[in-house]
Amino acid sequence: MDQSASLPKEGARDGLHAGFARAEITPDGPIRMEGMLRAHDSTGVHDPLYAKALVLSEGGGSEAACALVALDVCAVSAAFSRAAREAASQRTGIPVDRILVAAKHNHSGPATREPRSDREAAYVESLLKKIVDVADQAARARVPAAIGWASGREETISHYRRLLADDGHVAMNWEPWPAERIVRPLGSIDPEVGVLKVAAAATPGRILGLVFNHAGHPNVMSGDNYLISPDYPGRAETILEQRFGGTAVFVNGAQGSVDIDGLRDRDWAGVERVGGALAASVAETAAGIAARRGTRLRFGACRYTLPARRISDEEKAWAEAVVKQTGGAVKPVADGVGDDYKANLFLALRKAQDRPVDLEQIAVALGDCALLSFPGELFTEVGQQIKMHSPFRHTFILGLTNGCVGYVPTRQAIREGGYEPLTRKLDDCAAELVVEQSLALLRRMAEPA
């Protein structure tokens, strides 16, 4: 286990500097899409995709700097993220453990994990280069800056997607289960919208950019959609940039157990509605933030392992029987997954169940606000537990950052069953260990220097 927390060196404390940059990452042709089990490659582009970067530092150097690069893709692997971070570090001088590569969990973007064709491999290679370029551009764009933060609320976008049916099973909120047979949701959403507002120090009225954080599933457009799009976060970013100027950057939160309304507005009008609702909440929150100078940065990281999920003999036998029938093929579905997908997953997990999963988290603190990364899909209640016990007044969890270990449900959810517990890759104890490690890191960060 490797744990660290640090302050910038005294010589670096020359005032906060900030720089934003963007690069388009839209595929230039048909490509496999990620997030849903689709029947074929993309057929066109509805809206462009971007990589957007923010570099913050005390002074203009790289020693006391951090970089956040947010991507309009579903997820990135730890290996890809590490390669991109190391290359970006070499280019910019920013330490690797202060570089965050965040996937927005967009379900209408290109597949970026485990390329299956030369076309996909070429796209992933180009994406890595663009991450490095945009981080470098943001580092070079830094100017003296003022920053502020606050929390708002948005309660209409995300819905707790695990529903208790009257026969005792867990129905997902995209399944056409009769409404009169739904007893209640099995949990609650996290309505918090975290906002960082970054302005130019010389002209405080000029907004350099906004970073906003909310727990949600960007899959308004289901697996029936074959047009590339950044879904509702991209729409929210565009609205905010038109209103405030600068660069707007969405980063997802602990969204593993929440979703959009799976049975309503699964179309481009829905993207507009949901994106507009998120933008409105961010705009209202940002309007009340007074960006200020003199903010100090603190950095920390921890590395540990989580035990892998163990597949029982009964689960293995079931999976083998299914694969015998399907030949390993997986049929497309608009939402969720079928038994064919789960059977293949069970057999793969069985082979890997004795290998612990490496995990890294990074934290950046600005005054009484902390940004905490997690490389996967934390259940919302796990994220809320971390926030509740954090020593910082504001704790914004950056989900799907620097890798993707899949879902991290609570023990209660695992007992209840349902989609996420069935498709998770980690042991039952994972959520508890993540909470323990996250709070330990945040507490070290909050200690006086």
Side-chain angles (χ1 to χ4, degrees):
M1 186 178 298
D2 179 15
Q3 300 175 335
S4 62
S6 65
L7 282 168
K9 293 184 178 180
E10 286 295 331
R13 288 179 173 171
D14 300 320
L16 185 73
H17 286 56
F20 286 86
R22 75 179 69 205
E24 187 171 343
I25 59 170
T26 312
D28 59 7
I31 196 166
R32 182 167 60 96
M33 300 170 73
E34 195 163 15
M36 308 291 195
L37 299 176
R38 290 178 169 87
H40 54 77
D41 290 351
S42 62
T43 59
V45 176
H46 191 276
D47 300 289
L49 307 182
Y50 291 96
K52 296 183 178 181
L54 165 64
V55 171
L56 292 173
S57 63
E58 291 201 3
S62 57
E63 187 179 62
C66 63
L68 168 65
V69 182
L71 309 172
D72 283 327
V73 301
C74 188
V76 294
S77 70
F80 171 86
S81 171
R82 187 73 188 185
R85 292 161 62 202
E86 288 176 350
S89 179
Q90 291 178 359
R91 176 85 68 84
T92 65
I94 300 172
V96 172
D97 63 358
R98 296 178 187 172
I99 299 177
L100 302 149
V101 178
K104 299 177 188 177
H105 208 44
N106 172 32
H107 285 47
S108 290
T112 56
R113 294 178 290 175
E114 300 178 358
R116 300 178 187 174
S117 67
D118 291 344
R119 182 189 305 162
E120 290 178 29
Y123 178 80
V124 170
E125 182 180 356
S126 71
L127 180 62
L128 190 152
K129 292 177 180 177
K130 288 181 179 179
I131 290 170
V132 176
D133 288 344
V134 77
D136 185 46
Q137 292 165 16
R140 294 176 183 275
R142 279 175 293 173
V143 296
I147 192 168
W149 51 86
S151 294
R153 292 177 68 86
E154 209 305 310
E155 299 179 349
T156 67
I157 293 173
S158 290
H159 301 254
Y160 199 85
R161 66 185 190 175
R162 295 168 50 79
L163 310 175
L164 177 63
D166 59 4
D167 63 357
H169 91 282
V170 176
M172 304 307 294
N173 79 332
W174 62 74
E175 297 173 355
W177 198 256
E180 64 273 14
R181 297 195 60 188
I182 297 298
V183 179
R184 59 179 172 84
L186 286 165
S188 58
I189 68 166
D190 180 355
E192 184 177 25
V193 177
V195 181
L196 296 181
K197 180 179 178 181
V198 186
T203 52
R206 182 166 73 90
I207 304 302
L208 300 176
L210 300 171
V211 176
F212 58 106
N213 176 238
H214 181 254
H217 250 83
N219 62 344
V220 170
M221 301 305 294
S222 74
D224 294 331
N225 169 55
Y226 290 92
L227 297 180
I228 295 291
S229 165
D231 210 277
Y232 75 82
R235 183 61 190 138
E237 289 176 339
T238 298
I239 294 170
L240 291 165
E241 289 169 353
Q242 291 170 346
R243 173 166 178 175
F244 290 94
T247 303
V249 184
F250 171 79
V251 188
N252 220 320
Q255 43 58 263
S257 51
V258 298
D259 216 320
I260 48 85
D261 187 336
L263 301 177
R264 184 171 74 98
D265 295 349
R266 304 297 297 275
D267 52 25
W268 298 112
V271 171
E272 184 71 27
R273 177 183 65 80
V274 176
L278 181 56
S281 176
V282 174
E284 180 180 3
T285 305
I289 296 174
R292 55 189 182 274
R293 300 195 65 181
T295 300
R296 295 285 174 82
L297 295 174
R298 298 170 70 97
F299 310 103
C302 63
R303 298 168 189 84
Y304 54 100
T305 61
L306 294 174
R309 176 183 174 186
R310 303 195 70 82
I311 298 298
S312 68
D313 291 341
E314 291 78 11
E315 289 171 325
K316 177 175 178 287
W318 172 84
E320 288 173 337
V322 172
V323 170
K324 186 176 181 180
Q325 292 179 338
T326 64
V330 177
K331 294 181 179 179
V333 292
D335 290 289
V337 297
D339 285 350
D340 47 11
Y341 175 92
K342 286 181 277 189
N344 290 341
L345 176 64
F346 281 17
L347 296 180
L349 293 176
R350 175 79 176 208
K351 293 178 181 178
Q353 66 185 15
D354 294 321
R355 296 196 295 269
V357 177
D358 294 326
L359 194 140
E360 176 187 24
Q361 290 182 264
I362 293 174
V364 178
L366 310 96
D368 64 358
C369 175
L371 311 179
L372 176 68
S373 75
F374 184 78
E377 301 187 62
L378 284 177
F379 262 39
T380 303
E381 43 267 70
V382 178
Q384 288 174 314
Q385 187 175 357
I386 293 170
K387 290 182 180 185
M388 181 183 303
H389 296 287
S390 170
F392 291 88
R393 181 182 179 187
H394 299 277
T395 301
F396 304 144
I397 294 173
L398 313 184
L400 295 133
T401 297
N402 292 346
C404 184
V405 297
Y407 291 111
V408 184
T410 63
R411 283 188 187 269
Q412 178 178 339
I414 293 170
R415 288 192 296 268
E416 293 165 348
Y419 166 70
E420 309 95 345
L422 281 172
T423 57
R424 65 191 164 94
K425 301 174 183 177
L426 300 172
D427 184 77
D428 298 19
C429 68
E432 296 154 13
L433 293 175
V434 169
V435 171
E436 177 185 321
Q437 292 290 337
S438 298
L439 291 176
L441 173 59
L442 292 168
R443 287 165 183 153
R444 289 195 302 275
M445 298 279 289
E447 291 174 357

